[in-house]
Amino acid sequence: MAKEIDRVRARSALATVRESPFITAVAVAPVLLALGVVWWLTNGFVAFVLLLILGGVVVIGGKLLR
């Protein structure tokens, strides 16, 4: 049952992206802006490491919330 709920959520998210890319752009813009500022203030490597850390936090945080 839990896997079906995850599939439904994933399909709903994908449908939202397909129907309205603007909503996706608004949701992703703050992250891209923050990474751009970090890149501008330091360098690309630091921004890449920050992206990896944030991605790990999202994945681990998502697994802990289940």
Side-chain angles (χ1 to χ4, degrees):
M1 184 74 176
K3 289 186 179 183
E4 291 177 18
I5 294 171
D6 290 340
R7 287 183 184 168
V8 169
R9 287 184 180 173
R11 287 184 182 170
S12 297
L14 187 57
T16 302
V17 170
R18 286 183 180 163
E19 286 181 21
S20 180
F22 181 74
I23 293 174
T24 305
V26 169
V28 174
V31 175
L32 293 178
L33 183 66
L35 287 174
V37 169
V38 169
W39 190 316
W40 179 60
L41 291 175
T42 60
N43 58 24
F45 180 73
V46 174
F48 181 69
V49 169
L50 181 64
L51 181 65
L52 290 177
I53 291 170
L54 289 175
V57 167
V58 168
V59 169
I60 292 171
K63 289 185 179 190
L64 291 177
L65 290 176
R66 285 190 207 170

